[in-house]
Amino acid sequence: MPTIPSLPNWSNGKSTQADAPKIPVPAARAIVDCAVYVDGVRLPGKYTHRAALAEVRSRDNAFVWVGMHAPDEGQMQDVAATFGLHELMVEDAVHAHERPKLERYDDVMFLVLRTVVYVPHESVATASEIVETGEIMVFVGPDFVVTVRHGDHSELASVRKSLEQNPERLAMGPFAVLHAITDHVVDSYLSVIQLVEQDVDSMEELVFNPRNTVAVEHIYLLKREIVELRRSVTPLGLPLLQLTQPAGGLVPKEIRRYFRDVRDHHTIVAERISEYDEVLSSLVDAALAKIAVQQNTDMRKISAWVAIAAVPTGVAGIYGMNFENMPELGYKYGYQSILFLIASVCVGLFFLFRRNNWL
């Protein structure tokens, strides 16, 4: 008699069997583009990362460029095993959220870049987000480049296309690709800070406009975005400095010259971000001072009206005590006289406070 396989127990909506093992996704699903370049010219056809590396190592002056988008651990380990990448590189590439840095593992360089994009908005006073960040990890070896990007605004496809139109630059090898990517990222920083500068100027105009009331929270939002921008940009200065120095001998001399230009642009960006941060700190102080002045003005107005209201209140309180022997109770025109006195004192106080700019 055949044995009937046991079925999972679905009582209470739960299965007693262990969860099914997760099916690994091939590395090809995370690879956006894989190309072989010989003497700066891309070879026709499509390659897997293994076939591309084998093709490169059978030729002279050739390298492979593999582009990946948000790979999982299994996909990244597959590529790492092919190119001999260190396990710490794999961990950083999968989990992301790294500060810009440059590390060397034997003859492989690992560079982390933070990408930044400007988020369009109608007004800086109503925006919830001004800059959005992503990451690019670049692995550079003697005959390969592996790029891993997190985020959808890196535009590495345009960098590849631009390089393919310049075979002389590509013929310089993998470090020419590293320079092109770094230069593209730093140029994007320049574009972003030009737009952010407009927001800073708009906020400055709002704060110092006497007819506008700006919530301090709006300045804090812009300052928070500047801080995020600074954390993405400023730490890149040290890796760029290392790439311009001859120590290590991995980066060719000609490429180091190009990196000096990138470093100059990065310095400009970092300095302007620091300036924006200082301006926003000053705007916070100015906005708080403006709020304090407005509160003092409001308190003076309240105090003036309280003083005016105290006159009829005091007189009414005195004559409301209902004692028998109070002066002027028997006076024929006492009621009219008291009303005239109250009105005269209140009008006099009103014009006094108005002259002193309390009302």
Side-chain angles (χ1 to χ4, degrees):
M1 181 175 181
T3 303
I4 301 176
S6 59
L7 297 176
N9 181 12
W10 293 99
S11 59
N12 298 326
K14 298 181 179 179
S15 173
T16 58
Q17 291 185 345
D19 294 337
K22 185 177 180 180
I23 300 175
V25 180
R29 296 285 296 273
I31 295 177
V32 179
D33 197 358
C34 179
V36 174
Y37 298 93
V38 179
D39 293 325
V41 179
R42 178 171 181 164
L43 296 184
K46 294 184 178 180
Y47 294 87
T48 65
H49 56 287
R50 294 188 182 89
L53 186 60
E55 180 70 22
V56 163
R57 291 181 175 174
S58 66
R59 294 173 177 267
D60 295 329
N61 196 23
F63 69 93
V64 57
W65 180 1
V66 178
M68 306 183 71
H69 177 239
D72 59 27
E73 187 173 356
Q75 293 168 336
M76 195 63 215
Q77 286 179 348
D78 185 4
V79 174
T82 301
F83 292 96
L85 304 180
H86 196 277
E87 60 181 356
L88 294 178
M89 294 182 178
V90 175
E91 182 180 352
D92 290 343
V94 172
H95 299 291
H97 304 296
E98 295 288 331
R99 287 169 58 88
K101 63 180 181 178
L102 177 66
E103 296 179 348
R104 178 177 175 179
Y105 295 82
D106 297 328
D107 59 349
V108 177
M109 273 195 174
F110 176 52
L111 177 64
V112 178
L113 300 165
R114 296 294 298 272
T115 59
V116 178
V117 66
Y118 182 81
V119 180
H121 47 270
E122 293 183 0
S123 171
V124 66
T126 58
S128 59
E129 187 178 23
I130 295 176
V131 294
E132 181 181 334
T133 60
E135 289 185 45
I136 298 177
M137 286 83 165
V138 187
F139 306 86
V140 185
D143 53 8
F144 67 85
V145 178
V146 178
T147 55
V148 178
R149 64 180 176 89
H150 294 267
D152 298 322
H153 54 263
S154 61
E155 298 181 357
L156 285 183
S158 63
V159 177
R160 185 189 290 264
K161 183 177 180 180
S162 177
L163 276 175
E164 290 175 353
Q165 294 174 354
N166 190 354
E168 293 182 359
R169 181 70 61 82
L170 267 179
M172 294 180 181
F175 282 97
V177 177
L178 178 64
H179 163 262
I181 295 173
T182 308
D183 185 52
H184 169 73
V185 171
V186 174
D187 285 346
S188 69
Y189 293 163
L190 288 169
S191 301
V192 169
I193 63 170
Q194 289 175 357
L195 296 172
V196 171
E197 183 177 9
Q198 297 176 7
D199 288 333
V200 175
D201 291 341
S202 298
M203 182 61 70
E204 189 174 12
E205 183 178 352
L206 289 173
V207 169
F208 291 108
N209 190 332
R211 289 186 290 272
N212 290 331
T213 302
V214 180
V216 180
E217 291 81 3
H218 298 154
I219 307 177
Y220 282 138
L221 168 64
L222 185 54
K223 188 172 178 63
R224 184 194 68 188
E225 298 297 296
I226 293 295
V227 169
E228 182 177 0
L229 189 60
R230 184 179 62 190
R231 289 176 178 173
S232 299
V233 173
T234 304
L236 184 59
L238 180 58
L240 290 176
L241 177 61
Q242 294 172 342
L243 288 170
T244 60
Q245 296 176 345
L250 287 182
V251 184
K253 181 178 180 180
E254 185 66 23
I255 300 297
R256 291 201 304 269
R257 293 173 179 171
Y258 287 107
F259 273 116
R260 291 191 189 100
D261 181 66
V262 176
R263 184 167 175 262
D264 290 340
H265 291 171
H266 176 269
T267 301
I268 295 173
V269 174
E271 289 176 351
R272 293 179 67 178
I273 291 176
S274 297
E275 292 174 3
Y276 300 157
D277 193 21
E278 293 176 1
V279 169
L280 289 176
S281 297
S282 301
L283 290 182
V284 170
D285 295 338
L288 292 176
K290 188 176 180 180
I291 292 173
V293 171
Q294 184 62 42
Q295 289 177 341
N296 290 337
T297 301
D298 294 340
M299 287 301 299
R300 286 189 300 180
K301 290 182 179 180
I302 293 172
S303 300
W305 286 113
V306 167
I308 293 174
V311 174
T313 301
V315 174
I318 292 174
Y319 282 91
M321 291 185 293
N322 296 323
F323 288 111
E324 289 187 6
N325 299 319
M326 291 185 67
E328 292 86 26
L329 285 181
Y331 182 54
K332 180 178 180 180
Y333 299 104
Y335 175 71
Q336 292 86 346
S337 300
I338 291 299
L339 289 182
F340 177 77
L341 176 64
I342 292 174
S344 299
V345 174
C346 288
V347 171
L349 289 175
F350 177 82
F351 284 106
L352 176 64
F353 291 138
R354 173 65 63 87
R355 188 180 64 181
N356 293 331
N357 294 322
W358 281 43
L359 289 176

